[in-house]
Amino acid sequence: MNKGVVIVGAGHGGVSLASALRAQEYTGKITLLSDEADYPYHRPPLSKAFISSDSADDEKKLLLEQESFYDEKQIDLRLGVRVTAIDTANQRVALSHGEALAYEHLILATGARARTLPLPGNDLQGIETLRTLADARRIRQNLANCQAVVVVGGGFIGLELAVTARQLGKQVTVLETASRIMERSVAPEVSEFVTQKHRAKGMTIELNACVEAFIGEQRRVSGVRCCSGERPADLVIVGAGGIANSELAQAAGIECGNGILVDAQLRTSAPNVFAIGDCASHEHAYAGGARVRLESIQNANDQARLVAQVICGSEARYQAVPWFWSDQGEVKLQMVGLSIGRTDCVTRGDPAQGRFSVFHYREQTLIAVDSINQPLEHIQSRKLLAGGISPDKALIADTRVDLKSLLG
């Protein structure tokens, strides 16, 4: 008897996989497990539109699918259910309420959790991270009752939240320990441009910041202590990256290492067990074959569709071009590829005009492109990378040359 597909995690990847299986005309049982009480929802708006709005309809707009979708597609969605153990030998998972669930194929879409900082005072009220809808609700409530916000971390989530808080009229300070914001993700030119844009809007951005502790009064945070002094805060948001939720897999004897290790078909070391999305570590062609763990909706959705194909008999392998985005007020940042190992950058356009792209090369090979307010160039850059096309750097720098003409 076909025991069906069990999906652990109902984020973008988990829901996309369930939907893709039905689109592939998979007729077996599909069980979708979520340890959250909320119906599956879109995550990008949590740091922007949802935080800044007080509309009662906002949560309905977040839904990945209407509640009726799961019944219509015969997807057994179980909310508030946690998987406590995986028995790979007998192909069963143990659930938090005591039930054991058999599977033919198990997909781990367990995502990642926000990293916390092991600093003195980190248990004070008013120190938040953002990963879930429940987190966003707390931050929205806190923002309504505070004036000074300190964001620790100048990555995408931290900056998106900082911009939202600033748009709400809050005093905002971003503390970044590196020498520039978004250091691991974008070119120096992009970091500099975005820094200046945010500072022009009244945001304080401190680079090379040394954060020592969180300070508070009556169990609530009142500021952040740095090597150079204290920064007052009614609300502190920590944006220090994510940690893969791989403990469940590791306890089951599945190979892990900065995530759950998977092959080109997203298979883990255990038979009939796959991992997708933020928790999956895979060898990526666009990282020079190095293992990477990508936290993006595109990656989760593309991997979900690939696994659906594999379950239905395909021999397809994961080769999608990675792309990302971050909306920060007037700055629309779009990225494609991975700039790991870049040796050279070429700027196309004039940053002073507020619209430009930076092309990353490894020697003569194009490996990534960062675009600021250039959606068409982003789309064309995705096509260049997908086609393995590395235009001459002089052609890229010349804005008179249409990128479309370089696609061949």
Side-chain angles (χ1 to χ4, degrees):
M1 183 181 72
N2 190 321
K3 302 169 186 175
V5 171
V6 173
I7 304 168
V8 184
H12 289 270
V15 173
S16 291
L17 175 57
S19 179
L21 281 168
R22 290 301 186 222
Q24 292 277 329
E25 300 184 351
Y26 177 81
T27 58
K29 183 178 180 181
I30 300 176
T31 305
L32 181 59
L33 305 173
S34 174
D35 60 3
E36 295 186 54
D38 298 295
Y39 270 81
Y41 52 88
H42 288 278
R43 295 184 186 271
L46 297 183
S47 59
K48 300 175 282 289
F50 180 81
I51 293 289
S52 61
S53 174
D54 57 4
S55 170
D57 295 328
D58 284 349
E59 295 198 10
K60 293 181 180 179
K61 295 177 183 177
L62 289 176
L63 292 178
L64 284 171
E65 301 287 355
Q66 294 304 307
E67 295 177 12
S68 60
F69 166 84
Y70 302 97
D71 288 335
E72 292 169 358
K73 297 296 183 180
Q74 295 184 304
I75 297 167
D76 182 10
L77 172 63
R78 304 192 191 185
L79 301 175
V81 175
R82 186 170 55 88
V83 176
T84 58
I86 302 170
D87 181 349
T88 59
N90 295 300
Q91 296 194 188
R92 301 171 74 85
V93 294
L95 306 183
S96 51
H97 58 272
E99 181 184 356
L101 197 61
Y103 64 84
E104 184 71 22
H105 299 284
L106 176 67
I107 295 85
L108 302 176
T110 50
R113 62 187 179 278
R115 188 185 301 276
T116 58
L117 299 179
L119 297 174
N122 67 351
D123 58 345
L124 290 167
Q125 294 179 15
I127 300 175
E128 301 288 352
T129 58
L130 177 61
R131 201 75 192 187
T132 67
L133 178 54
D135 295 336
R137 291 189 186 111
R138 287 196 308 274
I139 292 173
R140 182 164 72 172
Q141 183 177 6
N142 281 324
L143 275 173
N145 301 301
C146 80
Q147 186 53 42
V149 179
V150 170
V151 177
V152 181
F156 298 139
I157 293 295
L159 291 172
E160 289 170 6
L161 286 165
V163 168
T164 301
R166 184 65 194 134
Q167 289 173 335
L168 291 171
K170 311 302 178 182
Q171 174 188 324
V172 179
T173 299
V174 175
L175 302 175
E176 171 54 58
T177 59
S179 60
R180 59 186 178 90
I181 59 174
M182 302 180 290
E183 184 179 49
R184 293 186 303 165
S185 306
V186 300
E189 297 89 338
V190 173
S191 295
E192 178 62 22
F193 175 86
V194 177
T195 298
Q196 295 307 319
K197 275 289 184 183
H198 293 339
R199 283 175 172 165
K201 293 293 184 179
M203 187 188 303
T204 299
I205 298 179
E206 298 185 23
L207 304 175
N208 299 305
C210 171
V211 179
E212 293 183 327
F214 302 110
I215 54 178
E217 299 174 356
Q218 298 180 338
R219 299 293 301 157
R220 183 164 186 87
V221 72
S222 62
V224 179
R225 187 172 73 234
C226 300
C227 299
S228 56
E230 295 182 0
R231 308 294 183 269
D234 306 309
L235 171 64
V236 173
I237 302 173
V238 176
I243 300 173
N245 292 323
S246 57
E247 290 82 2
L248 187 64
Q250 195 164 2
I254 296 172
E255 292 183 14
C256 297
N258 184 30
I260 304 169
L261 305 188
V262 296
D263 65 13
Q265 289 193 311
L266 292 314
R267 297 180 186 273
T268 71
S269 61
N272 300 317
V273 180
F274 300 80
I276 62 173
D278 294 4
C279 68
S281 172
H282 58 289
E283 294 179 354
H284 208 301
Y286 291 90
R291 277 199 173 273
V292 293
R293 185 175 62 80
L294 301 180
E295 295 186 21
S296 78
I297 291 171
Q298 167 269 327
N299 180 67
N301 288 342
D302 283 347
Q303 289 187 340
R305 286 188 285 268
L306 185 280
V307 170
Q309 293 171 17
V310 172
I311 288 174
C312 292
S314 171
E315 293 298 323
R317 294 173 174 271
Y318 188 61
Q319 302 179 56
V321 179
W323 53 271
F324 318 82
W325 79 91
S326 177
D327 291 333
Q328 301 175 27
E330 297 175 0
V331 175
K332 186 174 184 64
L333 170 59
Q334 294 171 289
M335 298 143 284
V336 58
L338 298 171
S339 58
I340 299 170
R342 69 167 175 254
T343 58
D344 193 16
C345 288
V346 177
T347 300
R348 178 182 173 87
D350 182 4
Q353 301 300 314
R355 300 172 67 242
F356 67 102
S357 296
V358 177
F359 288 67
H360 301 253
Y361 282 80
R362 186 185 299 121
E363 303 303 339
Q364 303 304 315
T365 302
L366 179 66
I367 58 172
V369 183
D370 306 330
S371 296
I372 293 283
N373 299 326
Q374 287 281 38
L376 180 57
E377 285 197 355
H378 170 70
I379 294 297
Q380 292 169 335
S381 297
R382 281 162 58 175
K383 292 178 179 178
L384 286 173
L385 284 170
I389 301 170
S390 297
D392 183 271
K393 297 172 188 177
L395 293 177
I396 288 295
D398 189 347
T399 55
R400 295 170 299 179
V401 176
D402 188 348
L403 288 184
K404 188 176 180 179
S405 68
L406 303 177
L407 293 173

PDB file of all heavy atoms in Angstrom, residues 12 63 72 86 130 135 190 207 232 279 281 294 308 376:
ATOM      1  N   HIS A  12       6.780  28.195   2.333  1.00  0.00           N
ATOM      2  CA  HIS A  12       6.687  28.283   0.873  1.00  0.00           C
ATOM      3  C   HIS A  12       7.023  26.952   0.206  1.00  0.00           C
ATOM      4  O   HIS A  12       6.322  26.498  -0.692  1.00  0.00           O
ATOM      5  CB  HIS A  12       7.623  29.375   0.349  1.00  0.00           C
ATOM      6  CG  HIS A  12       7.164  30.760   0.676  1.00  0.00           C
ATOM      7  ND1 HIS A  12       6.340  31.475  -0.153  1.00  0.00           N
ATOM      8  CD2 HIS A  12       7.417  31.556   1.747  1.00  0.00           C
ATOM      9  CE1 HIS A  12       6.095  32.660   0.388  1.00  0.00           C
ATOM     10  NE2 HIS A  12       6.738  32.728   1.542  1.00  0.00           N
ATOM     11  N   LEU A  63      -2.093  34.852   3.217  1.00  0.00           N
ATOM     12  CA  LEU A  63      -2.260  33.422   2.974  1.00  0.00           C
ATOM     13  C   LEU A  63      -1.635  32.975   1.656  1.00  0.00           C
ATOM     14  O   LEU A  63      -1.862  33.584   0.606  1.00  0.00           O
ATOM     15  CB  LEU A  63      -3.745  33.055   2.978  1.00  0.00           C
ATOM     16  CG  LEU A  63      -4.488  33.168   4.312  1.00  0.00           C
ATOM     17  CD1 LEU A  63      -5.957  32.815   4.121  1.00  0.00           C
ATOM     18  CD2 LEU A  63      -3.858  32.266   5.361  1.00  0.00           C
ATOM     19  N   GLU A  72      -9.776  21.065  -1.354  1.00  0.00           N
ATOM     20  CA  GLU A  72      -9.999  20.868  -2.792  1.00  0.00           C
ATOM     21  C   GLU A  72      -8.914  19.995  -3.413  1.00  0.00           C
ATOM     22  O   GLU A  72      -9.197  19.182  -4.301  1.00  0.00           O
ATOM     23  CB  GLU A  72     -10.052  22.227  -3.502  1.00  0.00           C
ATOM     24  CG  GLU A  72     -11.277  23.060  -3.130  1.00  0.00           C
ATOM     25  CD  GLU A  72     -11.176  24.490  -3.635  1.00  0.00           C
ATOM     26  OE1 GLU A  72     -10.128  24.829  -4.252  1.00  0.00           O
ATOM     27  OE2 GLU A  72     -12.125  25.283  -3.403  1.00  0.00           O
ATOM     28  N   ILE A  86      12.017  10.829  13.691  1.00  0.00           N
ATOM     29  CA  ILE A  86      11.901  10.153  12.392  1.00  0.00           C
ATOM     30  C   ILE A  86      12.514   8.770  12.518  1.00  0.00           C
ATOM     31  O   ILE A  86      13.663   8.624  12.959  1.00  0.00           O
ATOM     32  CB  ILE A  86      12.639  10.935  11.285  1.00  0.00           C
ATOM     33  CG1 ILE A  86      12.098  12.358  11.167  1.00  0.00           C
ATOM     34  CG2 ILE A  86      12.534  10.201   9.950  1.00  0.00           C
ATOM     35  CD1 ILE A  86      12.943  13.243  10.261  1.00  0.00           C
ATOM     36  N   LEU A 130      12.720  38.253  13.785  1.00  0.00           N
ATOM     37  CA  LEU A 130      11.600  38.051  12.866  1.00  0.00           C
ATOM     38  C   LEU A 130      11.808  36.810  12.022  1.00  0.00           C
ATOM     39  O   LEU A 130      12.762  36.713  11.259  1.00  0.00           O
ATOM     40  CB  LEU A 130      11.428  39.263  11.947  1.00  0.00           C
ATOM     41  CG  LEU A 130      10.322  39.132  10.893  1.00  0.00           C
ATOM     42  CD1 LEU A 130       8.961  38.939  11.559  1.00  0.00           C
ATOM     43  CD2 LEU A 130      10.300  40.353   9.980  1.00  0.00           C
ATOM     44  N   ASP A 135       6.038  36.337  15.356  1.00  0.00           N
ATOM     45  CA  ASP A 135       7.088  37.338  15.597  1.00  0.00           C
ATOM     46  C   ASP A 135       6.656  38.701  15.065  1.00  0.00           C
ATOM     47  O   ASP A 135       6.834  39.733  15.721  1.00  0.00           O
ATOM     48  CB  ASP A 135       8.390  36.936  14.899  1.00  0.00           C
ATOM     49  CG  ASP A 135       8.996  35.664  15.448  1.00  0.00           C
ATOM     50  OD1 ASP A 135       8.721  35.316  16.603  1.00  0.00           O
ATOM     51  OD2 ASP A 135       9.759  35.008  14.699  1.00  0.00           O
ATOM     52  N   VAL A 190      27.137  48.596  -4.059  1.00  0.00           N
ATOM     53  CA  VAL A 190      25.727  48.501  -3.678  1.00  0.00           C
ATOM     54  C   VAL A 190      25.569  48.827  -2.195  1.00  0.00           C
ATOM     55  O   VAL A 190      24.658  49.569  -1.799  1.00  0.00           O
ATOM     56  CB  VAL A 190      25.174  47.101  -3.998  1.00  0.00           C
ATOM     57  CG1 VAL A 190      23.760  46.937  -3.454  1.00  0.00           C
ATOM     58  CG2 VAL A 190      25.188  46.861  -5.504  1.00  0.00           C
ATOM     59  N   LEU A 207      28.772  51.332  11.330  1.00  0.00           N
ATOM     60  CA  LEU A 207      29.546  50.197  10.820  1.00  0.00           C
ATOM     61  C   LEU A 207      30.663  49.846  11.798  1.00  0.00           C
ATOM     62  O   LEU A 207      31.049  50.662  12.642  1.00  0.00           O
ATOM     63  CB  LEU A 207      30.110  50.538   9.445  1.00  0.00           C
ATOM     64  CG  LEU A 207      29.072  50.951   8.394  1.00  0.00           C
ATOM     65  CD1 LEU A 207      29.752  51.396   7.101  1.00  0.00           C
ATOM     66  CD2 LEU A 207      28.080  49.829   8.128  1.00  0.00           C
ATOM     67  N   PRO A 232      20.175  54.202  23.192  1.00  0.00           N
ATOM     68  CA  PRO A 232      18.859  54.012  23.798  1.00  0.00           C
ATOM     69  C   PRO A 232      17.890  53.320  22.841  1.00  0.00           C
ATOM     70  O   PRO A 232      17.948  53.524  21.626  1.00  0.00           O
ATOM     71  CB  PRO A 232      18.406  55.438  24.118  1.00  0.00           C
ATOM     72  CG  PRO A 232      19.179  56.299  23.176  1.00  0.00           C
ATOM     73  CD  PRO A 232      20.496  55.623  22.975  1.00  0.00           C
ATOM     74  N   CYS A 279      16.527  24.734   4.913  1.00  0.00           N
ATOM     75  CA  CYS A 279      17.245  23.746   5.733  1.00  0.00           C
ATOM     76  C   CYS A 279      18.178  22.860   4.918  1.00  0.00           C
ATOM     77  O   CYS A 279      18.963  22.099   5.477  1.00  0.00           O
ATOM     78  CB  CYS A 279      16.243  22.861   6.489  1.00  0.00           C
ATOM     79  SG  CYS A 279      15.279  21.755   5.427  1.00  0.00           S
ATOM     80  N   SER A 281      21.246  21.772   2.399  1.00  0.00           N
ATOM     81  CA  SER A 281      22.583  22.149   1.948  1.00  0.00           C
ATOM     82  C   SER A 281      22.943  21.302   0.730  1.00  0.00           C
ATOM     83  O   SER A 281      22.958  20.073   0.803  1.00  0.00           O
ATOM     84  CB  SER A 281      23.604  21.914   3.071  1.00  0.00           C
ATOM     85  OG  SER A 281      24.928  22.096   2.599  1.00  0.00           O
ATOM     86  N   LEU A 294      20.726  28.024   0.766  1.00  0.00           N
ATOM     87  CA  LEU A 294      20.137  29.276   0.286  1.00  0.00           C
ATOM     88  C   LEU A 294      18.806  29.544   0.972  1.00  0.00           C
ATOM     89  O   LEU A 294      17.912  28.695   0.952  1.00  0.00           O
ATOM     90  CB  LEU A 294      19.941  29.230  -1.225  1.00  0.00           C
ATOM     91  CG  LEU A 294      21.210  29.015  -2.061  1.00  0.00           C
ATOM     92  CD1 LEU A 294      20.863  28.987  -3.539  1.00  0.00           C
ATOM     93  CD2 LEU A 294      22.240  30.105  -1.776  1.00  0.00           C
ATOM     94  N   ALA A 308       8.833  17.130  -6.520  1.00  0.00           N
ATOM     95  CA  ALA A 308       7.560  16.609  -7.008  1.00  0.00           C
ATOM     96  C   ALA A 308       7.781  15.804  -8.289  1.00  0.00           C
ATOM     97  O   ALA A 308       7.209  14.720  -8.469  1.00  0.00           O
ATOM     98  CB  ALA A 308       6.577  17.747  -7.251  1.00  0.00           C
ATOM     99  N   LEU A 376      14.345  45.315 -15.357  1.00  0.00           N
ATOM    100  CA  LEU A 376      14.565  44.711 -16.667  1.00  0.00           C
ATOM    101  C   LEU A 376      15.974  44.139 -16.766  1.00  0.00           C
ATOM    102  O   LEU A 376      16.170  43.022 -17.280  1.00  0.00           O
ATOM    103  CB  LEU A 376      14.332  45.733 -17.786  1.00  0.00           C
ATOM    104  CG  LEU A 376      14.533  45.207 -19.216  1.00  0.00           C
ATOM    105  CD1 LEU A 376      13.628  44.007 -19.487  1.00  0.00           C
ATOM    106  CD2 LEU A 376      14.268  46.314 -20.237  1.00  0.00           C
TER     107      LEU A 376
END
